[in-house]
Amino acid sequence: MFSNSDAHSLPNIAREYNTFEKVDPSFGGLLDLLKLKNKQVVRNYGLPPKLGKYHRTYCLSCEQIIKGSAPQLTCPDCGSKHVVMGVLDRLVSIADRPMGKQNDLTYVHQVPLRHLPGIGPKTYERLLREFGTEMDVLHHVPVEDLQRIAGEKVAVWIIKDRLGELDVEAGGGGIFGRVVLLESQKHKE
Ligand SMILES: [Zn+2]
């Protein structure tokens, strides 16, 4: 299975991407991979769905994202049907079989740098100027170098992203989700 970004937004062009192991780095090798000729390891990286702007239902009267188990089709607080339906809520409401937990170890949810707390346009530019690509920053740059360029706090968020230690408060109604620490990480702070 491959998951890739669409191409309508240039800064997000590599938001979803793949890594391969044991693949001959040639067009022939890639073709073999696509034809599933060999049992190479494919890993997909992509945005956590909860970060999406329309993940959960949003009440237009209360102007808030509705929490609670999906599907939320009306607002539980004011009873309004005047809502922007969330993708998850819609999915659950039309699913004709139970939706299991995602348990695909070949899919890695990764928060893009610009969604991490403390990374505004200036810090983002500085990181790219210093280290080259977002992939380098997310996967390879040593923590000391991140601290030197972006400061202690930002370096912590990047490393936690690298280690998969972030959670997301779901987005909705056109508002992106918000990155937070995993519950298990909070008491370590
Ligand atoms: Zn409401």
Side-chain angles (χ1 to χ4, degrees):
M1 180 197 75
F2 295 92
S3 168
N4 288 98
S5 62
D6 45 15
H8 61 81
S9 168
L10 202 54
N12 292 330
I13 198 88
R15 200 177 65 181
E16 278 76 24
Y17 58 98
N18 334 102
T19 57
F20 313 134
E21 285 172 32
K22 302 174 193 159
V23 175
D24 180 37
S26 65
F27 283 112
L30 195 57
L31 193 61
D32 284 349
L33 181 73
L34 293 171
K35 288 178 174 173
L36 302 173
K37 273 193 180 171
N38 300 320
K39 289 200 184 315
Q40 298 96 337
V41 179
V42 176
R43 183 161 288 164
N44 294 290
Y45 289 80
L47 197 75
K50 284 160 86 179
L51 260 188
K53 283 178 173 179
Y54 297 97
H55 186 66
R56 294 307 311 271
T57 296
Y58 180 90
C59 176
L60 290 162
S61 303
C62 303
E63 298 185 344
Q64 64 170 351
I65 295 166
I66 300 170
K67 296 180 176 163
S69 58
Q72 300 284 340
L73 308 176
T74 57
C75 178
D77 288 340
C78 73
S80 175
K81 290 181 182 161
H82 201 206
V83 297
V84 180
M85 181 76 75
V87 173
L88 178 69
D89 302 86
R90 176 78 181 134
L91 200 61
V92 172
S93 73
I94 61 174
D96 55 7
R97 63 182 78 167
M99 292 181 35
K101 278 222 177 278
Q102 186 180 350
N103 137 33
D104 177 3
L105 296 177
T106 67
Y107 199 96
V108 181
H109 287 147
Q110 190 170 60
V111 177
L113 285 180
R114 280 168 303 158
H115 284 273
L116 293 178
I119 301 192
K122 278 187 185 162
T123 304
Y124 184 68
E125 283 304 317
R126 207 180 310 136
L127 285 165
L128 293 192
R129 208 167 41 237
E130 190 72 20
F131 303 119
T133 69
E134 180 151 350
M135 296 300 123
D136 285 324
V137 175
L138 282 170
H139 293 287
H140 304 305
V141 175
V143 63
E144 309 81 57
D145 294 336
L146 295 174
Q147 287 168 339
R148 182 168 52 80
I149 297 302
E152 186 97 16
K153 282 185 179 167
V154 168
V156 168
W157 283 107
I158 295 172
I159 296 299
K160 288 194 180 299
D161 196 6
R162 188 178 292 173
L163 297 174
E165 294 178 350
L166 298 179
D167 199 1
V168 178
E169 284 178 10
I175 302 164
F176 279 114
R178 202 169 69 88
V179 174
V180 293
L181 291 176
L182 268 185
E183 209 49 53
S184 59
Q185 290 286 314
K186 279 180 184 162
H187 51 129
K188 289 189 186 170
E189 289 300 294

PDB file of all heavy atoms in Angstrom, residues 59 62 75 78, ligand 1:
ATOM      1  N   CYS A  59     -20.103  22.939  15.757  1.00  0.00           N
ATOM      2  CA  CYS A  59     -21.397  23.617  15.895  1.00  0.00           C
ATOM      3  C   CYS A  59     -21.254  25.090  15.519  1.00  0.00           C
ATOM      4  O   CYS A  59     -20.466  25.821  16.113  1.00  0.00           O
ATOM      5  CB  CYS A  59     -21.926  23.501  17.325  1.00  0.00           C
ATOM      6  SG  CYS A  59     -23.468  24.442  17.524  1.00  0.00           S
ATOM      7  N   CYS A  62     -22.750  27.367  18.607  1.00  0.00           N
ATOM      8  CA  CYS A  62     -21.855  27.507  19.774  1.00  0.00           C
ATOM      9  C   CYS A  62     -20.432  27.870  19.364  1.00  0.00           C
ATOM     10  O   CYS A  62     -19.624  28.218  20.226  1.00  0.00           O
ATOM     11  CB  CYS A  62     -21.774  26.203  20.559  1.00  0.00           C
ATOM     12  SG  CYS A  62     -23.326  25.551  21.135  1.00  0.00           S
ATOM     13  N   CYS A  75     -25.596  19.222  17.673  1.00  0.00           N
ATOM     14  CA  CYS A  75     -24.811  19.708  18.817  1.00  0.00           C
ATOM     15  C   CYS A  75     -25.428  19.209  20.123  1.00  0.00           C
ATOM     16  O   CYS A  75     -26.600  19.463  20.388  1.00  0.00           O
ATOM     17  CB  CYS A  75     -24.763  21.224  18.810  1.00  0.00           C
ATOM     18  SG  CYS A  75     -23.860  21.879  20.230  1.00  0.00           S
ATOM     19  N   CYS A  78     -26.419  22.609  22.418  1.00  0.00           N
ATOM     20  CA  CYS A  78     -27.546  23.506  22.117  1.00  0.00           C
ATOM     21  C   CYS A  78     -28.611  22.829  21.253  1.00  0.00           C
ATOM     22  O   CYS A  78     -29.648  23.419  20.986  1.00  0.00           O
ATOM     23  CB  CYS A  78     -27.034  24.772  21.428  1.00  0.00           C
ATOM     24  SG  CYS A  78     -26.515  24.497  19.729  1.00  0.00           S
TER      25      CYS A  78
HETATM   26 ZN    ZN B   1     -24.183  24.097  19.686  1.00  0.00          ZN
END
